[in-house]
Amino acid sequence: MHSQYEEMWDRLGMDIPAHDSLLEALGNFYGDIYLSQEGRLKGAEYLDFVLSEVHGLRIQELVQAKEQGKKVIGTFCVFVPEEIVWAANGITVGLCAGAEIGREAAERVLPRSTCALIKSFMGFKMARICPYFESCDIVIGETTCDGKKKAFEILDEHTPVYVMEVPQMKEARDRELWKQEIVRFMDLVQELTGVVITEERLAGAIRMINDRRRVLQRLNRLRKAVPTPISGRDALLVNQISFYDDPPRFTEKIGELCDELEARIEKAEGVVPRGTPRVMVSGCPMAVPNWKLPFLIESGGAVMVGEESCIGTRNTRDLVREDGRTGEDMLDHLTDRYMQIDCACFTPNNERLDNVVRMARDLEVDGVIHYGLQFCHPYGIEAFKLERALKAADIPVLTIETDYSNEDAEILKNRVEAFVEMIR
Ligand code: BJ8
């Protein structure tokens, strides 16, 4: 892929040697964690292709779209209403990063005690190694956790950042604030793109993004089968890719993958033998290429059948109502849908406890692993209440805290294996 795209990366202002190292590490990692799996689905060819071209073809598409006058908008949180961007003929890309590679650069401006996800996106920008970042006309931050909120002030010195104010509670006044924020965001997007968001355009974008959520809901339902027809690693990758790829293409390809899964289920074929412990992961998002924990779970004798996370069901569970007739209705429906997100940045956030227990029962899991990134206070502290709710429901739980490094891999491996042994 390298020589073919080098000129494009250079034009984007990237640091080519540093980017080469990233691609090499990504390729090796992907080979070890994904391509080594046995009996993979035919539909996984799409995943392999997208990943092999993740910094090539898709970026070329973005560059071409920009040449035609389209705007590319980067996001860090599932709170950003993508529908508004697509309705204005724009393109969204999820920028949360899951690798350590720019950590040194990030630690020049951030305390070491910052969560790995924030350090990663800051490092990616400062080290100029992410072509998605470099393709963005603007990035959208939000006031979720304190770490992100403050990091966006520094990121703004390196690239244009616009911050949405996400409320911290879910009272009527918070909903009103969020609706106003969506309107403010809509003004920004219209100004940036020069496109007026008509009711027709917005309705179309709502349907398109809902379709993407619906296909992911279908995938999640199929994972309930015993034995489950797809590895957790592949399912996570599907969710990760949903933040980068063109939504209609993604929906079509994952629809085909789901057809294949249905055929597998009909033949009672699973990706693991019946009786393999079923584990669900809950907590912080796992951005590409953060596959450390899923790999440890699945090489440790269990299978991951669900992710209660923003790169998982928290992003796909709720749809925007499609029966809005007027622009005002649609704005209300968008507001209501996004206010259902049960991020740990809210207080109280008891609906998340209910959602996790319900999901664990529904997927018939043998245990839940709560995944927190070190220095993430919202999820780290909420883990206490979540653990208590799961224990009360008689669902075994393991709480872990980690980062993107491999330093704790051995300890984590032992803890995960001991947990899998216990729930077997
Ligand atoms: S809606 S989960 S995508 S904020 S891991 S940066 S919380 S210190 S990512 Fe998130 Fe939106 Fe919530 Fe979802 Fe902060 Fe924690 Fe780091 Fe985090």
Side-chain angles (χ1 to χ4, degrees), residues 76-78 115 118 144-145 148 284-285 310 314 343 373 376 379:
F76 294 100
C77 177
V78 298
C115 98
I118 298 174
T144 45
C145 68
K148 273 194 186 173
C284 292
C310 284
R314 203 177 304 123
C343 172
L373 280 174
C376 170
Y379 284 92

Side-chain angles (χ1 to χ4, degrees), residues 149-161:
K149 194 159 60 192
K150 298 308 287 179
F152 291 137
E153 293 175 23
I154 300 170
L155 186 64
D156 192 38
E157 293 173 10
H158 299 269
T159 193
V161 179

Side-chain angles (χ1 to χ4, degrees), residues 152-180:
F152 291 137
E153 293 175 23
I154 300 170
L155 186 64
D156 192 38
E157 293 173 10
H158 299 269
T159 193
V161 179
Y162 172 93
V163 176
M164 292 187 82
E165 183 172 356
V166 176
Q168 309 283 288
M169 298 178 91
K170 291 195 176 169
E171 303 295 329
R173 62 177 186 275
D174 300 301
R175 182 196 178 278
E176 202 35 51
L177 166 69
W178 184 238
K179 186 174 170 191
Q180 284 172 19

